PDB file of all heavy atoms in Angstrom:
ATOM      1  N   LEU J 417     -34.351  -6.936 -49.446  1.00  0.00           N
ATOM      2  CA  LEU J 417     -35.788  -6.779 -49.667  1.00  0.00           C
ATOM      3  C   LEU J 417     -36.535  -8.026 -49.222  1.00  0.00           C
ATOM      4  O   LEU J 417     -36.156  -9.152 -49.572  1.00  0.00           O
ATOM      5  CB  LEU J 417     -36.063  -6.494 -51.142  1.00  0.00           C
ATOM      6  CG  LEU J 417     -37.511  -6.181 -51.528  1.00  0.00           C
ATOM      7  CD1 LEU J 417     -37.558  -5.198 -52.718  1.00  0.00           C
ATOM      8  CD2 LEU J 417     -38.298  -7.443 -51.906  1.00  0.00           C
ATOM      9  N   GLN J 418     -37.599  -7.808 -48.460  1.00  0.00           N
ATOM     10  CA  GLN J 418     -38.499  -8.896 -48.070  1.00  0.00           C
ATOM     11  C   GLN J 418     -39.930  -8.453 -48.328  1.00  0.00           C
ATOM     12  O   GLN J 418     -40.304  -7.323 -48.009  1.00  0.00           O
ATOM     13  CB  GLN J 418     -38.310  -9.255 -46.600  1.00  0.00           C
ATOM     14  CG  GLN J 418     -36.959  -9.897 -46.305  1.00  0.00           C
ATOM     15  CD  GLN J 418     -36.825 -10.368 -44.875  1.00  0.00           C
ATOM     16  OE1 GLN J 418     -37.422  -9.799 -43.977  1.00  0.00           O
ATOM     17  NE2 GLN J 418     -36.048 -11.420 -44.662  1.00  0.00           N
ATOM     18  N   CYS J 419     -40.708  -9.368 -48.898  1.00  0.00           N
ATOM     19  CA  CYS J 419     -42.080  -9.047 -49.295  1.00  0.00           C
ATOM     20  C   CYS J 419     -43.055 -10.038 -48.667  1.00  0.00           C
ATOM     21  O   CYS J 419     -42.812 -11.252 -48.663  1.00  0.00           O
ATOM     22  CB  CYS J 419     -42.211  -9.081 -50.814  1.00  0.00           C
ATOM     23  SG  CYS J 419     -43.901  -8.759 -51.416  1.00  0.00           S
ATOM     24  N   VAL J 420     -44.160  -9.508 -48.112  1.00  0.00           N
ATOM     25  CA  VAL J 420     -45.239 -10.323 -47.563  1.00  0.00           C
ATOM     26  C   VAL J 420     -46.512  -9.994 -48.325  1.00  0.00           C
ATOM     27  O   VAL J 420     -46.957  -8.836 -48.358  1.00  0.00           O
ATOM     28  CB  VAL J 420     -45.453 -10.040 -46.062  1.00  0.00           C
ATOM     29  CG1 VAL J 420     -46.636 -10.852 -45.533  1.00  0.00           C
ATOM     30  CG2 VAL J 420     -44.191 -10.347 -45.269  1.00  0.00           C
ATOM     31  N   SER J 421     -47.104 -11.022 -48.985  1.00  0.00           N
ATOM     32  CA  SER J 421     -48.348 -10.813 -49.731  1.00  0.00           C
ATOM     33  C   SER J 421     -49.105 -12.143 -49.834  1.00  0.00           C
ATOM     34  O   SER J 421     -48.508 -13.157 -50.215  1.00  0.00           O
ATOM     35  CB  SER J 421     -48.052 -10.272 -51.129  1.00  0.00           C
ATOM     36  OG  SER J 421     -49.254 -10.051 -51.840  1.00  0.00           O
ATOM     37  N   PRO J 422     -50.374 -12.199 -49.471  1.00  0.00           N
ATOM     38  CA  PRO J 422     -51.162 -11.102 -48.893  1.00  0.00           C
ATOM     39  C   PRO J 422     -50.668 -10.742 -47.485  1.00  0.00           C
ATOM     40  O   PRO J 422     -50.024 -11.548 -46.802  1.00  0.00           O
ATOM     41  CB  PRO J 422     -52.571 -11.670 -48.852  1.00  0.00           C
ATOM     42  CG  PRO J 422     -52.379 -13.159 -48.812  1.00  0.00           C
ATOM     43  CD  PRO J 422     -51.154 -13.434 -49.614  1.00  0.00           C
ATOM     44  N   TRP J 423     -51.007  -9.535 -47.079  1.00  0.00           N
ATOM     45  CA  TRP J 423     -50.522  -9.003 -45.804  1.00  0.00           C
ATOM     46  C   TRP J 423     -51.693  -8.878 -44.833  1.00  0.00           C
ATOM     47  O   TRP J 423     -52.569  -8.039 -44.996  1.00  0.00           O
ATOM     48  CB  TRP J 423     -49.866  -7.654 -46.054  1.00  0.00           C
ATOM     49  CG  TRP J 423     -49.359  -6.946 -44.828  1.00  0.00           C
ATOM     50  CD1 TRP J 423     -49.007  -7.500 -43.641  1.00  0.00           C
ATOM     51  CD2 TRP J 423     -49.150  -5.539 -44.692  1.00  0.00           C
ATOM     52  NE1 TRP J 423     -48.586  -6.539 -42.758  1.00  0.00           N
ATOM     53  CE2 TRP J 423     -48.659  -5.308 -43.388  1.00  0.00           C
ATOM     54  CE3 TRP J 423     -49.319  -4.450 -45.544  1.00  0.00           C
ATOM     55  CZ2 TRP J 423     -48.351  -4.038 -42.910  1.00  0.00           C
ATOM     56  CZ3 TRP J 423     -49.003  -3.185 -45.085  1.00  0.00           C
ATOM     57  CH2 TRP J 423     -48.525  -2.990 -43.770  1.00  0.00           C
ATOM     58  N   ASP J 424     -51.678  -9.741 -43.821  1.00  0.00           N
ATOM     59  CA  ASP J 424     -52.716  -9.736 -42.793  1.00  0.00           C
ATOM     60  C   ASP J 424     -52.160  -9.058 -41.545  1.00  0.00           C
ATOM     61  O   ASP J 424     -51.229  -9.566 -40.922  1.00  0.00           O
ATOM     62  CB  ASP J 424     -53.149 -11.175 -42.467  1.00  0.00           C
ATOM     63  CG  ASP J 424     -54.209 -11.227 -41.372  1.00  0.00           C
ATOM     64  OD1 ASP J 424     -54.946 -10.232 -41.221  1.00  0.00           O
ATOM     65  OD2 ASP J 424     -54.287 -12.259 -40.669  1.00  0.00           O
ATOM     66  N   ILE J 425     -52.710  -7.903 -41.195  1.00  0.00           N
ATOM     67  CA  ILE J 425     -52.196  -7.130 -40.058  1.00  0.00           C
ATOM     68  C   ILE J 425     -52.937  -7.550 -38.798  1.00  0.00           C
ATOM     69  O   ILE J 425     -54.111  -7.222 -38.605  1.00  0.00           O
ATOM     70  CB  ILE J 425     -52.360  -5.622 -40.296  1.00  0.00           C
ATOM     71  CG1 ILE J 425     -51.677  -5.206 -41.601  1.00  0.00           C
ATOM     72  CG2 ILE J 425     -51.777  -4.834 -39.123  1.00  0.00           C
ATOM     73  CD1 ILE J 425     -51.857  -3.745 -41.952  1.00  0.00           C
ATOM     74  N   ALA J 426     -52.240  -8.273 -37.934  1.00  0.00           N
ATOM     75  CA  ALA J 426     -52.842  -8.739 -36.685  1.00  0.00           C
ATOM     76  C   ALA J 426     -52.650  -7.692 -35.596  1.00  0.00           C
ATOM     77  O   ALA J 426     -51.627  -7.006 -35.547  1.00  0.00           O
ATOM     78  CB  ALA J 426     -52.211 -10.068 -36.265  1.00  0.00           C
TER      79      ALA J 426
END
Side-chain angles (χ1 to χ4, degrees):
L417 185 148
Q418 292 185 330
C419 178
V420 177
S421 181
W423 178 24
D424 179 26
I425 304 177

